[in-house]
């Protein structure tokens, strides 16, 4: 939520001219506060637009904490089911590793002992049955998370052997024999894996939907809180208007006339802001009519003071911009004069040369 602005009572007391800047600053603070709240409301509206929710009240609302607890429970159940699958896969693993052709692959390749100096140049990721067994039995969280990871490592054992050894070698033949047997057994086991993946996919969709609904509920709560804060900000502005009315002198007839004349000097954008200020004080005021008349005598004191401050600031800003443009123009004029003088000097020198 937005930080609260200073309390009204913090505005210093004393002569009104001394307080004018403080009150004006206070108004600007509250307006900035409202702008920040409206920006947050827009973010909430964008959220609802992005998910296409038209009637959130009719949907089942689940708390974020409950969603997190349910996600943790679902994850634990899914992990248990996967551990069961890995244990079932252990039967296939034992059948393959106990085969008469399995002995070369039971332990990591003895690269140095066998003098296989180019082994790591050919094989990117060595793998063996002993390493697979250790990961299947790991209890510290470093083991396999999915049975498909074991399948991939089993294939890697055979593929490494067939990649490094000659096709007519005994090790190549043993690896190929085991690969065929392994894939035959895997085909029968695969439907269980696919069923588990399907269950997980459905659970993930359900979890995503519950998280979305919980987030929607959170945004609904945020909307209510922001709306309350905006109302508080409006009340703060109203208090400030009363302070100004109570402590300000009345705007004179001459000042009203000067404010009206200043309107003629304002830009279209600033004029539109003037109309907005008047409309805030009079709900019946039509800002988009073809011809708009502002009755200065009909405006209340807070509105007149707001117009006075606004017109002064707008004219000051316009004056600064004109001064900056004038400085830029003078600089360009000086550069052009220097360039012209240089050109004339070059022409005179050229004439003397021709003579």
């Amino acid at each position: 939520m937005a930080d609260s602005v200073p309390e009204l009572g913090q505005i210093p007391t004393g002569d009104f001219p001394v307080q004018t800047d403080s009150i004006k600053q206070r108004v600007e603070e509250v307006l900035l506060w409202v702008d920040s709240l409206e920006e947050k409301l827009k973010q909430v509206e964008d959220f609802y637009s992005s998910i296409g929710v038209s009637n959130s009240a009719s949907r089942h609302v689940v708390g974020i904490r409950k969603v997190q607890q349910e996600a943790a429970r679902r994850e634990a159940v899914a992990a248990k089911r996967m551990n069961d699958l890995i244990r079932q896969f252990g039967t296939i693993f034992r059948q393959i590793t106990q085969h008469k052709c399995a002995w070369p692959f039971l332990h990591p390749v003895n690269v140095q002992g066998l003098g296989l100096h180019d082994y790591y140049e050919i094989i990117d990721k060595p793998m063996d049955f002993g390493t697979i067994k250790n990961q299947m039995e790991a209890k510290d969280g470093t083991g396999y998370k999915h049975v498909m990871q074991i399948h991939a490592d089993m294939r890697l054992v055979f593929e490494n052997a067939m990649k490094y050894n000659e096709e007519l070698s005994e090790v190549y033949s043993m690896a190929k024999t085991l690969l065929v047997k392994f894939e035959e057994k895997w085909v029968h086991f695969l439907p269980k894996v696919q069923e588990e993946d399907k269950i997980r996919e459905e659970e993930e969709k359900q979890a995503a939907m519950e998280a979305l609904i919980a987030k929607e509920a959170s945004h609904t709560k945020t909307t209510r809180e922001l709306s309350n804060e905006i109302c508080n900000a409006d009340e703060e502005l109203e208090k400030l208007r009363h302070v100004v009315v109570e402590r300000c002198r009345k705007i004179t007839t001459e000042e009203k006339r000067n404010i009206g004349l200043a309107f003629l000097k304002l830009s279209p954008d600033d004029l539109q802001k003037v109309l907005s200020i008047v409309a805030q004080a009079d709900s019946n005021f039509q800002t988009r009519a073809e011809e708009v008349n502002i009755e200065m005598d009909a405006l209340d004191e807070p509105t007149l003071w707001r117009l006075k401050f606004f017109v002064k600031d707008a004219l000051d800003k316009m004056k600064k911009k004109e001064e900056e443009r004038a400085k830029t123009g003078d600089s360009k004029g000086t550069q052009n004069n220097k360039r012209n003088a240089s050109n004339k000097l070059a022409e005179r020198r050229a004439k003397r040369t021709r003579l």
Side-chain angles (χ1 to χ4, degrees):
M1 302 302 295
D3 294 335
S4 60
V5 291
E7 292 297 330
L8 186 63
Q10 294 180 10
I11 296 176
T13 59
D15 294 337
F16 180 75
V18 178
Q19 297 182 44
T20 301
D21 291 339
S22 297
I23 295 176
K24 181 180 176 183
Q25 181 181 357
R26 168 64 172 173
V27 172
E28 292 175 349
E29 289 174 349
V30 175
L31 291 175
L32 288 174
W33 180 26
V34 173
D35 288 342
S36 67
L37 295 175
E38 289 180 343
E39 177 61 27
K40 290 185 178 182
L41 278 175
K42 183 179 181 302
Q43 293 175 4
V44 174
E45 291 172 356
D46 291 343
F47 166 76
Y48 286 124
S49 298
S50 66
I51 63 175
V53 176
S54 58
N55 185 11
S56 59
S58 64
R59 302 182 62 177
H60 178 59
V61 176
V62 183
I64 293 179
R65 181 175 297 180
K66 184 177 179 180
V67 169
Q68 294 172 341
Q69 293 173 346
E70 178 61 21
R73 185 200 66 78
R74 188 183 292 115
E75 185 177 345
V77 173
K80 184 178 182 302
R81 291 198 308 267
M82 184 55 65
N83 287 334
D84 290 340
L85 270 182
I86 291 175
R87 281 195 292 271
Q88 293 177 41
F89 180 85
T91 301
I92 298 176
F93 180 78
R94 286 190 296 273
Q95 291 173 348
I96 296 298
T97 56
Q98 291 173 4
H99 192 276
K100 63 180 181 181
C101 295
W103 65 267
F105 317 112
L106 294 177
H107 305 287
V109 175
N110 186 2
V111 176
Q112 292 183 347
L114 297 175
L116 308 178
H117 306 298
D118 61 346
Y119 187 80
Y120 294 114
E121 297 177 6
I122 299 173
I123 303 302
D124 296 326
K125 182 183 177 182
M127 186 55 59
D128 63 277
F129 294 152
T131 299
I132 294 174
K133 185 174 185 293
N134 290 336
Q135 279 197 262
M136 287 175 64
E137 297 175 351
K139 304 297 183 182
D140 58 356
T142 62
Y144 293 112
K145 301 297 187 297
H146 198 290
V147 72
M148 289 299 298
Q149 295 174 319
I150 312 176
H151 172 263
D153 280 352
M154 290 287 287
R155 285 188 58 88
L156 187 60
V157 173
F158 309 131
E159 290 169 354
N160 284 349
M162 296 167 66
K163 182 178 181 179
Y164 185 78
N165 294 277
E166 296 291 338
E167 189 171 349
L168 297 178
S169 67
E170 183 179 5
V171 173
Y172 183 99
S173 177
M174 296 168 76
K176 186 175 182 179
T177 298
L178 285 180
L179 177 58
V180 172
K181 291 185 175 295
F182 172 68
E183 291 297 348
E184 288 176 352
K185 296 179 181 298
W186 177 256
V187 167
H188 297 290
F189 188 77
L190 184 59
K192 295 182 180 181
V193 180
Q194 293 173 332
E195 179 63 23
E196 172 59 25
D197 286 343
K198 183 178 179 181
I199 294 174
R200 285 196 170 198
E201 183 179 353
E202 292 298 323
E203 289 179 343
E204 288 173 0
K205 289 180 180 179
Q206 178 66 22
M209 178 58 68
E210 290 177 358
L212 184 62
I213 295 174
K215 187 175 181 182
E216 180 186 336
S218 174
H219 277 75
T220 302
K221 181 174 180 291
T222 300
T223 302
R224 289 195 299 269
E225 293 172 349
L226 288 173
S227 297
N228 291 336
E229 283 207 53
I230 289 177
C231 291
N232 293 336
D234 288 338
E235 291 176 1
E236 288 290 319
L237 286 173
E238 189 61 31
K239 291 178 183 177
L240 284 168
R241 292 191 188 100
H242 286 298
V243 169
V244 172
V245 172
E246 291 172 359
R247 302 186 183 185
C248 281
R249 59 174 175 78
K250 297 288 185 180
I251 294 286
T252 65
T253 302
E254 181 67 17
E255 286 176 313
K256 292 178 184 179
R257 189 177 71 84
N258 290 335
I259 293 172
L261 291 174
F263 291 164
L264 303 176
K265 303 177 184 179
L266 298 179
S267 68
D269 287 342
D270 285 336
L271 280 174
Q272 190 61 45
K273 292 177 182 177
V274 166
L275 297 179
S276 297
I277 291 173
V278 176
Q280 289 177 15
D282 183 2
S283 58
N284 296 322
F285 184 75
Q286 300 295 324
T287 60
R288 299 188 178 276
E290 293 183 3
E291 183 176 345
V292 178
N293 293 320
I294 300 177
E295 296 291 340
M296 301 297 291
D297 291 334
L299 298 177
D300 58 21
E301 289 298 319
T303 303
L304 288 171
W305 276 106
R306 288 185 66 189
L307 290 173
K308 181 179 174 66
F309 286 134
F310 176 79
V311 167
K312 182 179 181 301
D313 286 345
L315 293 179
D316 287 345
K317 290 177 182 177
M318 291 175 63
K319 183 178 179 181
K320 288 181 181 179
K321 288 182 179 179
E322 290 174 358
E323 291 175 351
E324 291 174 358
R325 282 197 295 266
K327 289 180 181 179
T328 304
D330 291 343
S331 176
K332 290 182 179 178
T334 301
Q335 293 177 358
N336 291 333
N337 292 335
K338 290 181 178 180
R339 192 179 298 108
N340 292 334
S342 178
N343 291 338
K344 290 179 180 179
L345 178 61
E347 290 175 359
R348 288 197 295 270
R349 288 176 177 173
K351 288 180 181 180
R352 288 198 298 269
T353 302
R354 286 196 295 273
L355 292 173

